[in-house]
């Protein structure tokens, strides 16, 4: 039996990551990517969940190289039957902050600027008390942390497991709509994706309001696509 966890995340700080860059405006989409959540939940490179990786791809608090190694670090989760879905907003507000560049050097050679260009930018962030919801799918019991850090500012967030159910894979010929966001690479190999809306965000754009056909887990009245795994190429 597969274990399904419905989780909710409540922000206790403003959340920022650059989904879109429009001139000097850096906008945060109110959706949490499943890659980011997998790391935040402590599932990556974990001895507890048998997802450790080679020393070259090790993920710890300090990383010698700030280069993502998603394939090397997330593939062990597939081997343990662990998968995290992206999280959708169930209640959120946005805040707009202006920041300025600064030079912290004490001795600066004063040079006349060629152009009168202000050194500032604006960040559209997700405000505290915003809430998100998604699912964790696992073949074995998991203990998710109560507090996590998210985004560029390592914003503090509270995690609550709202409901847990066990389910078996069901097969149906009729299409169904999944109202939560999905990673298209993770679902397209095991389901026939019929229609969707695209959410452009790095490192892999997500899709929402997805109508698809294939195997699923039943969670109350909701059908959750089954057999999803982290994949990294089409």
């Amino acid at each position: 039996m597969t274990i399904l966890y419905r989780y909710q995340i409540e922000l206790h700080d403003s959340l920022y990551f650059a989904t879109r860059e429009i001139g000097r405006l850096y906008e945060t989409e109110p959706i949490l990517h499943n890659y980011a959540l997998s790391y935040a939940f402590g599932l990556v490179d974990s001895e507890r969940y048998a997802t450790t990786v080679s020393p070259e791809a090790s993920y710890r608090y300090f990383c010698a190289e700030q280069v993502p190694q998603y394939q090397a670090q997330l593939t062990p989760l597939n081997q343990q039957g662990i998968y995290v879905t992206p999280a959708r907003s169930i209640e959120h507000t946005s805040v707009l902050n202006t920041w300025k560049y600064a030079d912290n050097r004490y001795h600066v050679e004063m040079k006349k600027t060629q152009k009168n260009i202000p050194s500032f930018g604006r960040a559209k962030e997700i405000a505290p008390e915003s809430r998100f919801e998604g699912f964790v799918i696992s073949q074995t019991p998991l203990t998710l942390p109560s507090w996590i850090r998210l985004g560029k500012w390592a914003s503090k967030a509270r995690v609550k497991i709202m409901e847990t159910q066990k389910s078996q894979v069901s097969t149906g010929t009729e299409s169904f709509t999944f109202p939560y966001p999905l990673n298209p690479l993770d679902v397209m190999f095991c389901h026939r994706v019929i229609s969707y809306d695209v959410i452009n965000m790095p490192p892999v754009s997500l899709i929402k309001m997805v109508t698809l056909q294939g195997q699923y887990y039943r969670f109350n009245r909701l059908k959750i696509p089954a057999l999803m795994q982290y994949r990294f190429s089409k």
Side-chain angles (χ1 to χ4, degrees):
M1 297 286 283
T2 300
I3 306 172
L4 307 174
Y5 301 88
R6 179 170 66 89
Y7 64 84
Q8 284 191 6
I9 295 174
E10 181 181 43
L11 301 183
H12 283 238
D13 293 318
S14 293
L15 175 65
Y16 167 71
F17 52 87
T19 306
R20 284 184 295 272
E21 300 181 10
I22 308 171
R24 293 183 182 272
L25 174 64
Y26 300 84
E27 186 172 359
T28 303
E29 184 77 26
I31 286 181
L32 304 182
H33 204 288
N34 66 325
Y35 287 4
L37 291 170
S38 301
Y39 286 91
F41 286 152
L43 302 173
V44 175
D45 200 9
S46 167
E47 294 183 0
R48 179 176 188 175
Y49 298 118
T51 59
T52 53
V53 299
S54 64
E56 295 77 14
S58 178
Y59 177 79
R60 292 292 185 267
Y61 181 80
F62 172 77
C63 297
E65 296 183 3
Q66 298 299 315
V67 179
Q69 300 187 54
Y70 297 123
Q71 184 167 356
Q73 294 168 352
L74 293 173
T75 297
L77 274 68
N78 294 339
Q79 299 165 356
Q80 299 303 320
I82 301 172
Y83 185 81
V84 182
T85 71
R88 71 176 182 181
S89 165
I90 55 177
E91 180 184 6
H92 81 277
T93 55
S94 299
V95 293
L96 195 61
N97 293 321
T98 300
W99 45 268
K100 297 181 179 180
Y101 295 111
D103 194 327
N104 293 325
R105 292 175 295 175
Y106 291 101
H107 302 284
V108 180
E109 182 181 354
M110 301 300 294
K111 295 182 179 180
K112 185 177 180 180
T113 58
Q114 299 297 319
K115 296 181 180 179
N116 184 21
I117 301 177
S119 298
F120 73 94
R122 308 182 78 184
K124 185 177 180 182
E125 304 176 2
I126 308 300
E129 299 185 2
S130 298
R131 292 187 298 133
F132 297 83
E133 184 174 80
F135 295 90
V136 176
I137 303 169
S138 178
Q139 302 302 314
T140 57
L142 301 178
T143 303
L144 298 180
S146 298
W147 295 94
I148 59 174
R149 297 281 182 174
L150 293 169
K152 295 292 186 180
W153 310 145
S155 304
K156 190 176 183 180
R158 179 71 181 269
V159 180
K160 292 183 179 180
I161 302 300
M162 308 305 294
E163 194 173 0
T164 303
Q165 289 188 19
K166 293 184 178 180
S167 180
Q168 292 181 332
V169 176
S170 299
T171 302
T173 56
E174 296 183 356
S175 61
F176 61 95
T177 299
F178 187 63
Y180 291 76
L182 290 171
N183 188 319
L185 292 179
D186 301 343
V187 74
M188 64 186 295
F189 289 96
C190 51
H191 293 78
R192 177 174 172 249
V193 179
I194 300 171
S195 64
Y196 55 87
D197 296 330
V198 177
I199 308 165
N200 291 313
M201 60 187 304
V204 177
S205 292
L206 303 178
I207 54 179
K208 64 179 179 178
M209 295 306 298
V210 186
T211 300
L212 64 165
Q213 188 178 46
Q215 295 180 310
Y216 59 87
Y217 300 113
R218 189 174 292 278
F219 192 96
N220 297 332
R221 296 184 179 180
L222 182 67
K223 294 180 179 179
I224 302 176
L227 310 179
M228 288 187 293
Q229 292 186 325
Y230 298 94
R231 297 182 182 269
F232 308 95
S233 60
K234 297 182 179 179

